[in-house]
Amino acid sequence: MGTSAIVMLLIGVVVVYGSLTAAVVNYIRASRKDVS
Amino acid sequence: MTGSAVAADGRERWGSKVGFMLAAAGSAVGLGNIWRFPAVTYENGGGAFIIPYLVALVTAALPILMLEYGLGHRYRAGAPFTFRQIRRRWEWLGWWQTAVSFLVVTYYVTILGWCLSYMVYSFGTQWGDDPAGFFIGSFLGTSADGDPSGFWQFGGLQLKVLLAVAIAWLLVYAILMRRVSKGIELAAKVFMPLLVVLLLIIVIRGITLPGAAVGLDVLFTPDFAALGNPAVWIAAYGQVFFSTSIAFGTMIAYSSYLQRKTDLTNSAAVVGLSNSGFEILAAVGVFSVLGFLANASGAQVTDVVESGVGLAFIAFPAIINELPGLNSLFGVLFFGALFIAGITSAVSILEPGIAAVREKFSLSRPAAVTILTGLAALISLLYVSKGGLFYLDTADRFLNNFGLVLCGLGEIVLVGWVARALNGMQTHLNATSYFKAGWWWKGSLLIITPLLLGSMTVYNLYTELTTRYEDYPLSGLIVIGWGAVVLSLAVAVLMQAVRKSHQIPSEG
């Protein structure tokens, strides 16, 4: 794979999965507050 | 986290918030993630497409998802009664969404039947050395061997397809009959983790095959010049729009079953991003194995790229034939993954109709499920005929391009511009949510999304009027394509005219 292809793949993966992880963490935190 | 399956007001409820999110993600993740996104990316600038795709995700998919979650959660109804509560005269728009999704599910479940058949055919790769000939000829028995001249040769029913489609319908019926918590939610809790595991197996197998790197290079090498082409941006908005179950009425119905205290914006973010994460992973898997196919057959990757039905039922069997080992197992896993991705979506596409019909006519769930599933199954016989492939392809194109897009546009125009209800929705969303729907949310819905959906409609209309899709006869495009759109609109107008008191029947 060329460097530019790897960079674009990484951008997509990091942005999408990074945001997804952040959203899931937020969700879990909010749920814990709910319970307490 | 968990709650009763039926609320005090008699409306069904999700058993848990996680169950709702899995069901909503199961709705969004469907066949299009696997067979549409990879080809759209490849055709629209490769790796550079990631940029408009992410912009579209943030300015269209997530804002509309949040809006639909807010609508269902606030008004506690399916799409027709939700829009009726906003503006009495706009009930028809909800019925249009419902009618379009109902017509979509009639062919969607047919494709699930094909997936079931191909799981069986995977044992011993029964499609032989000519997967295209097998699919078009032996399996579907398509009139005139798939030549458009055979469009109107109905040719009777293809019995081997009929059996598989009947099984798929029975499964959809069984899930919907078991109600929201024990049916849709339970199915999502079982199927979604299984789907992720299956996809991971396919991707890992794909990227370890010879030629995989070449396939991924072809997919992700960016062509930044493409970003100057408006058609690429329209394609990006089209992809996020079609792949997130927006404007089907699904998300409105699903969020109407939520408990009062639910983080709506965060749920929308998790669902929308899960959908994107899934399709990026699927694209890696699909182009890895396409790279392998090109390598094995001595062709260029660009020569073997396929999308849609052609990718799943012609290219993949060819790929499975070339695998060095465990061919049958890979086939079962791939078609199993397609089936699972599709079944949760199919259920979600029919649920808005069930919710709407129950509210309009005060029907019990079993009655509504039986009537709608039975009617949809009857209509799906059209796609089991020997001209079925033509009818399916035509209906899919027109219902998506002119039904769904206009339904989505109508929804935003109603809430944002006609009723000017976005401020109220913003307050509602932010009252229970961790991160707030801010100026970007309103700006996206008021300006960016309507402009893009309007441009898509003009572009689609221009394309339709200047070229004849797939060289199908004009009569076929008018009767099946435009006919499906007009039929859905006629049903919507008729339902608006029917005067019935809206009541949500008790589940007691």
Side-chain angles (χ1 to χ4, degrees), chain B residues 54-347:
Chain B
L54 292 175
V55 171
L57 181 68
V58 173
T59 59
L62 297 183
I64 302 176
L65 266 180
M66 288 178 194
L67 173 68
E68 295 200 343
Y69 284 2
L71 287 170
H73 187 254
R74 181 176 186 181
Y75 294 105
R76 299 271 148 203
F81 193 30
T82 291
F83 295 144
R84 185 185 169 91
Q85 290 178 81
I86 295 172
R87 279 285 186 278
R88 198 177 178 82
R89 289 173 182 270
W90 282 70
E91 182 186 334
W92 65 271
L93 180 61
W95 284 111
W96 196 18
Q97 290 190 349
T98 306
V100 167
S101 56
F102 177 80
L103 290 178
V104 167
V105 85
T106 61
Y107 64 77
Y108 204 90
V109 174
T110 306
I111 298 171
L112 296 187
W114 299 353
C115 294
L116 278 179
S117 294
Y118 267 69
M119 281 174 74
V120 176
Y121 292 145
S122 293
F123 291 100
T125 58
Q126 294 171 45
W127 43 73
D129 295 330
D130 178 18
F134 178 83
F135 178 65
I136 302 287
S138 307
F139 179 59
L140 294 182
T142 306
S143 311
D145 286 331
D147 188 87
S149 62
F151 193 97
W152 285 122
Q153 292 170 25
F154 185 77
L157 299 178
Q158 187 74 345
L159 292 179
K160 61 177 93 170
V161 182
L162 179 65
L163 177 66
V165 173
I167 293 170
W169 273 120
L170 281 175
L171 189 56
V172 169
Y173 179 74
I175 292 171
L176 287 168
M177 280 293 277
R178 287 174 57 85
R179 303 184 178 179
V180 172
S181 177
K182 290 182 179 168
I184 301 171
E185 182 174 344
L186 183 63
K189 282 179 171 172
V190 173
F191 285 142
M192 290 311 289
L194 183 60
L195 179 60
V196 172
V197 171
L198 288 179
L199 185 67
L200 283 174
I201 294 172
I202 291 167
V203 169
I204 291 168
R205 183 69 189 110
I207 59 177
T208 52
L209 286 167
V214 179
L216 292 176
D217 200 39
V218 168
L219 176 62
F220 287 110
T221 297
D223 170 17
F224 289 110
L227 298 183
N229 182 358
V232 170
W233 289 83
I234 289 177
Y237 277 83
Q239 176 59 32
V240 299
F241 187 81
F242 292 132
S243 83
T244 33
S245 290
I246 293 166
F248 273 112
T250 296
M251 295 306 178
I252 295 177
Y254 271 20
S255 54
S256 75
Y257 304 133
L258 276 169
Q259 292 167 38
R260 276 287 168 208
K261 199 173 181 185
T262 301
D263 187 334
L264 296 171
T265 59
N266 213 16
S267 299
V270 171
V271 171
L273 290 164
S274 301
N275 180 61
S276 294
F278 187 92
E279 58 191 11
I280 288 177
L281 198 60
V284 169
V286 166
F287 267 76
S288 296
V289 293
L290 286 176
F292 163 72
L293 178 63
N295 183 59
S297 57
Q300 297 293 314
V301 176
T302 49
D303 296 331
V304 297
V305 173
E306 283 269 10
S307 67
V309 169
L311 173 71
F313 298 101
I314 296 174
F316 256 88
I319 290 163
I320 293 163
N321 282 348
E322 298 289 345
L323 287 173
L326 299 174
N327 310 51
S328 301
L329 177 64
F330 190 84
V332 172
L333 293 180
F334 173 72
F335 290 108
L338 264 188
F339 180 79
I340 289 172
I343 193 84
T344 46
S345 297
V347 163

Side-chain angles (χ1 to χ4, degrees), chain A residues 16-35:
Chain A
V16 170
Y17 284 95
S19 309
L20 177 59
T21 306
V24 171
V25 169
N26 279 342
Y27 170 79
I28 293 169
R29 277 186 190 159
S31 299
R32 282 185 180 158
K33 273 185 190 171
D34 256 13
V35 172

Side-chain angles (χ1 to χ4, degrees), chain B residues 323-397:
Chain B
L323 287 173
L326 299 174
N327 310 51
S328 301
L329 177 64
F330 190 84
V332 172
L333 293 180
F334 173 72
F335 290 108
L338 264 188
F339 180 79
I340 289 172
I343 193 84
T344 46
S345 297
V347 163
S348 78
I349 304 173
L350 201 48
E351 178 61 23
I354 290 161
V357 167
R358 292 186 65 201
E359 287 157 15
K360 184 83 174 178
F361 300 104
S362 298
L363 290 178
S364 66
R365 172 169 276 271
V369 171
T370 304
I371 292 168
L372 286 190
T373 311
L375 187 59
L378 269 181
I379 294 172
S380 73
L381 290 178
L382 185 68
Y383 308 115
V384 180
S385 72
K386 290 176 180 164
L389 185 59
F390 302 127
Y391 312 144
L392 188 154
D393 191 25
T394 307
D396 179 53
R397 181 178 176 87

Side-chain angles (χ1 to χ4, degrees), chain B residues 476-487:
Chain B
L477 297 178
I478 291 173
V479 173
I480 304 289
W482 289 113
V485 177
V486 171
L487 176 67

